Amino acid sequence: MATTGDIGSFTVWDYVVFGLMLLISAAIGIYYAFAGGGQKTAKDFLMGGRSMTAVPVALSLTASFMSAVTVLGTPAEVYRFGAMFSIFAITYTLVVLLTAEIYLPVFYRLGITSTYEYLEIRFNKYVRLIGTVLFIIQTILYTGIVIYAPALALNQVTGFDLWGAVVATGVVCTFYCTMGGLKAVVWTDVFQVGIMVAGFTSVIIRAVVVQGGIAPILNDSFYGDRLNFWDFNPNPLQRHSFWTIIIGGTFTWTGIYGVNQSQVQRYIACKSRFHAKMSLYVNLVGLWAILTCAVLSGLAMYSIYKDCDPWTAKFVSAPDQLMPYLALDILRDYPGLPGLFVACAYSGTLSTVSSSINALAAVTVEDLVKPYFKSLSETKLSWISKGTSFLYGAVCIAMAGLASLMGGLLQAALSIFGMVGGPLLGLFTLGILFPFVNSLGAVIGLLVGFTISLWVGIGSQIYPPLPLRSLPKYLSVEGCNFSNTDTNWNLTTEIPTVMTTMMETQVGERPILADNWYSMSYLYFSTLGTIIALIVGIIASLLSGGLKQNVNRECLLTSQDFAYLKVLLPSSWGKDKEKVEILNWKTHNSDAYPDKGTDNPAFSHMEMYGTEGNEKINGVDP
């Protein structure tokens, strides 16, 4: 392959493919702006009228997960550190199980639009406001980076116009979010996930052809120590091991799937709880497929560049540029396919950004507008929702501009996004699983968890862990031919090798905390924030009289939420046992939440009765 750094360049057909992806995405937004009479109410716009079904929502959840960071970053991760990343397949399974069985039942039963609405029902409006503000700040920051970072990587390798791509994707995304609401977001995600899979597949198939089959790729990966699936080192300072991925990864991703508005908003927009749960489980299959594609791409990249690493040879200036470099290298003889890969990466950007914009609009309308302007009609709320979508789209594009000036703080901002998720997960878990936790304990737990996770996260950016903790694999440049690389040197910046970095780091002064506390695996940031929020919140609640409070049972996870397991268990189980009475729960304040019921009101009007006598539960004989 291109051992001289001489790779292909973008052609007209590549721009055509990319342009078609943007055009079709915009067309979907226009269609849902007028289909079925348009978005007449805020609920239509923000929740798709609560009429979504499992499969499109599942694909939408998958597309949002598969951001451009995944498309560009995960193959590079496998290329540099090995295939241990594939253990995330187990993590995703645990995350979906926890989300579907613990968090979804409560959110769905309450019929809420914003997850932070739950915090007021369970605690008070101040807790809700804190959660809302934290979400808005982290999402705007993260979304700006998601727009800019992949555009920069693709620009430096392909020559694809940087700000043209940033503005084009930002404008198109804002357009279809503002026009079509949640339905447009979901169905553009369905289209974009197809583009992403096609882009990944084209690279994998071509790499297999170039290397003469899958066997040589696996053979090279084996002898290059890339098939390192199992490492059971319990040391929390090691960047990736079986335990950091399973434990830390589960906490990190549960913070996203379980309580983050961007994900929760879509599965609670399903027309029944069955469809909501099915969307999560079908989404799991999508997560496995994406992970498989990313890992195979990384292994194929190593097989092709095992004797000439483009990063060490300075053909690219950052690991995130390795995947687009590979795509242009092996697909250069097929006009349009490099464009398909770039469309694949930008589809990841569009799906993530559109979900964020829609979630930001929902949170703003539900948490900051409706509680304080109760006289607004549904039509006015619909227009306000569209206006907020447009505003947040513009803000996210502006944040991409700010991200371009942040330089080395980009990774710090991404880490902060993860650090906020852990304490918020702890806050919601306190409310759902611990009936004695009160609002004072919840706030104290959240703030302490956030402070400590922020401390370790920022410290890790100031004093990065030594390479000893990340265990990078050997990269060779023995097979490179540097005779024709003059033009490429102008496009890249010199990156110090691993050994140089280690020497420079060791020369500088490093405090004691740097090689212990600050060197903790980044996957444990969220875990740390969650656990501290839980422990502090529980203790503070017990000390402040939490056991004496009366809690709305609808805000808690109860045995009723697992009633369906009775069908799966042997009929002899539970016989001659003490009868368990299902409580006749009282709903929350109907004046404050007039459109909320025990389930999505548009599709079910269920009543709960005690199990005494011949009474029915949700219309079914017990």
Side-chain angles (χ1 to χ4, degrees):
M1 282 292 96
T3 56
T4 65
D6 178 23
I7 60 172
S9 58
F10 249 47
T11 66
V12 173
W13 284 109
D14 297 317
Y15 283 104
V16 168
V17 170
F18 180 75
L20 279 174
M21 183 272 292
L22 292 179
L23 188 63
I24 294 172
S25 298
I28 293 173
I30 294 173
Y31 172 78
Y32 280 104
F34 301 102
Q39 313 293 316
K40 294 179 180 178
T41 67
K43 189 167 290 186
D44 287 338
F45 184 82
L46 299 173
M47 301 297 291
R50 297 190 188 272
S51 61
M52 307 303 296
T53 53
V55 173
V57 170
L59 292 174
S60 179
L61 292 170
T62 302
S64 297
F65 156 82
M66 188 176 171
S67 68
V69 175
T70 306
V71 175
L72 303 180
T74 304
E77 166 76 25
V78 174
Y79 173 78
R80 295 176 60 211
F81 299 101
M84 185 183 293
F85 202 85
S86 57
I87 296 175
F88 270 100
I90 302 173
T91 298
Y92 298 152
T93 306
L94 296 175
V95 168
V96 167
L97 282 169
L98 289 172
T99 301
E101 305 304 332
I102 294 178
Y103 300 97
L104 182 150
V106 177
F107 292 148
Y108 198 91
R109 177 169 62 240
L110 292 172
I112 57 180
T113 298
S114 163
T115 51
Y116 305 99
E117 195 174 346
Y118 167 83
L119 296 177
E120 181 171 352
I121 302 172
R122 175 63 175 87
F123 299 116
N124 59 40
K125 63 181 180 180
Y126 301 109
V127 180
R128 176 182 184 177
L129 190 60
I130 293 172
T132 300
V133 170
L134 282 176
F135 170 78
I136 290 175
I137 293 172
Q138 69 164 351
T139 305
I140 290 175
L141 181 64
Y142 179 70
T143 305
I145 293 166
V146 164
I147 294 174
Y148 176 75
L152 179 63
L154 291 164
N155 162 260
Q156 293 191 345
V157 177
T158 66
F160 201 70
D161 184 76
L162 174 62
W163 288 107
V166 167
V167 174
T169 50
V171 167
V172 168
C173 193
T174 303
F175 173 77
Y176 70 72
C177 285
T178 304
M179 292 290 288
L182 183 68
K183 285 186 178 179
V185 171
V186 168
W187 284 104
T188 49
D189 283 351
V190 172
F191 164 68
Q192 287 156 7
V193 80
I195 295 291
M196 287 186 272
V197 171
F200 257 141
T201 304
S202 64
V203 171
I204 293 170
I205 292 174
R206 180 58 184 159
V208 169
V209 172
V210 166
Q211 294 302 93
I214 192 71
I217 292 176
L218 295 177
N219 187 62
D220 291 338
S221 301
F222 176 78
Y223 287 104
D225 194 26
R226 260 56 181 186
L227 300 184
N228 55 331
F229 297 106
W230 310 111
D231 181 348
F232 293 97
N233 186 350
N235 188 350
L237 304 183
Q238 183 171 314
R239 181 172 176 270
H240 280 171
S241 69
F242 178 85
W243 302 114
T244 57
I245 291 175
I246 294 296
I247 299 173
T250 298
F251 275 92
T252 301
W253 283 103
T254 303
I256 295 173
Y257 268 84
V259 302
N260 187 283
Q261 176 70 20
S262 299
Q263 300 292 78
V264 175
Q265 184 176 342
R266 275 169 291 174
Y267 58 70
I268 63 176
C270 289
K271 64 183 182 181
S272 68
R273 191 160 77 170
F274 172 79
H275 276 273
K277 281 196 175 186
M278 280 301 297
S279 71
L280 282 167
Y281 287 116
V282 173
N283 157 72
L284 179 59
V285 178
L287 296 183
W288 288 338
I290 289 166
L291 185 63
T292 302
C293 287
V295 171
L296 282 176
S297 296
L299 295 178
M301 190 192 305
Y302 174 73
S303 179
I304 291 172
Y305 297 130
K306 62 182 182 295
D307 296 324
C308 180
D309 170 39
W311 184 39
T312 310
K314 305 183 183 71
F315 300 157
V316 298
S317 61
D320 285 348
Q321 298 171 16
L322 288 167
M323 192 63 183
Y325 181 91
L326 173 69
L328 259 71
D329 189 3
I330 64 177
L331 298 174
R332 55 183 164 176
D333 296 329
Y334 301 89
L337 286 187
L340 179 63
F341 177 77
V342 170
C344 160
Y346 276 108
S347 288
T349 297
L350 284 173
S351 60
T352 304
V353 173
S354 63
S355 302
S356 297
I357 291 174
N358 197 251
L360 286 166
V363 164
T364 302
V365 170
E366 291 294 323
D367 298 331
L368 302 180
V369 176
K370 283 179 70 174
Y372 305 102
F373 301 93
K374 298 181 180 180
S375 61
L376 290 173
S377 66
E378 279 297 326
T379 304
K380 288 182 179 178
L381 284 172
S382 175
W383 281 106
I384 291 172
S385 301
K386 293 178 181 180
T388 13
S389 284
F390 179 80
L391 176 64
Y392 279 123
V395 169
C396 289
I397 296 173
M399 271 304 303
L402 182 60
S404 68
L405 304 174
M406 291 171 67
L409 293 179
L410 285 176
Q411 185 60 43
L414 286 170
S415 297
I416 288 172
F417 177 80
M419 287 180 273
V420 174
L424 281 176
L425 174 63
L427 175 64
F428 280 97
T429 305
L430 284 169
I432 291 172
L433 296 184
F434 301 96
F436 56 83
V437 170
N438 57 23
S439 56
L440 179 62
V443 170
I444 294 174
L446 172 67
L447 295 179
V448 173
F450 179 64
T451 301
I452 292 180
S453 60
L454 201 63
W455 171 31
V456 66
I458 292 177
S460 71
Q461 298 301 318
I462 299 172
Y463 300 101
L466 296 175
L468 176 65
R469 302 300 184 193
S470 58
L471 305 178
K473 303 298 181 183
Y474 176 72
L475 298 170
S476 172
V477 291
E478 294 176 0
C480 292
N481 178 357
F482 296 100
S483 60
N484 297 320
T485 58
D486 292 342
T487 55
N488 294 80
W489 279 83
N490 295 327
L491 293 174
T492 59
T493 56
E494 184 172 352
I495 299 295
T497 62
V498 169
M499 288 304 297
T500 306
T501 304
M502 191 188 310
M503 291 171 60
E504 290 176 354
T505 308
Q506 289 173 340
V507 168
E509 290 292 328
R510 288 174 66 88
I512 296 175
L513 288 176
D515 295 324
N516 295 285
W517 180 242
Y518 295 152
S519 291
M520 181 185 299
S521 170
Y522 73 98
L523 286 172
Y524 279 137
F525 294 169
S526 181
T527 309
L528 185 70
T530 303
I531 292 175
I532 289 175
L534 288 173
I535 294 173
V536 173
I538 289 171
I539 293 173
S541 295
L542 291 174
L543 293 177
S544 58
L547 291 172
K548 299 177 182 178
Q549 68 175 347
N550 293 319
V551 178
N552 183 349
R553 301 293 298 177
E554 286 193 339
C555 297
L556 303 172
L557 185 73
T558 68
S559 58
Q560 175 76 13
D561 296 310
F562 300 98
Y564 70 94
L565 290 176
K566 183 178 179 181
V567 180
L568 304 178
L569 297 175
S571 57
S572 59
W573 286 29
K575 286 186 177 181
D576 301 321
K577 303 286 183 182
E578 182 181 355
K579 184 184 293 183
V580 179
E581 181 177 355
I582 298 174
L583 296 176
N584 184 2
W585 294 336
K586 295 182 180 179
T587 60
H588 40 268
N589 191 319
S590 58
D591 295 328
Y593 300 95
D595 58 341
K596 307 296 185 289
T598 57
D599 217 310
N600 280 348
F603 292 92
S604 54
H605 301 278
M606 301 194 288
E607 298 176 347
M608 291 187 173
Y609 304 95
T611 55
E612 300 295 336
N614 296 322
E615 294 164 335
K616 297 183 178 181
I617 303 172
N618 296 343
V620 180
D621 291 317

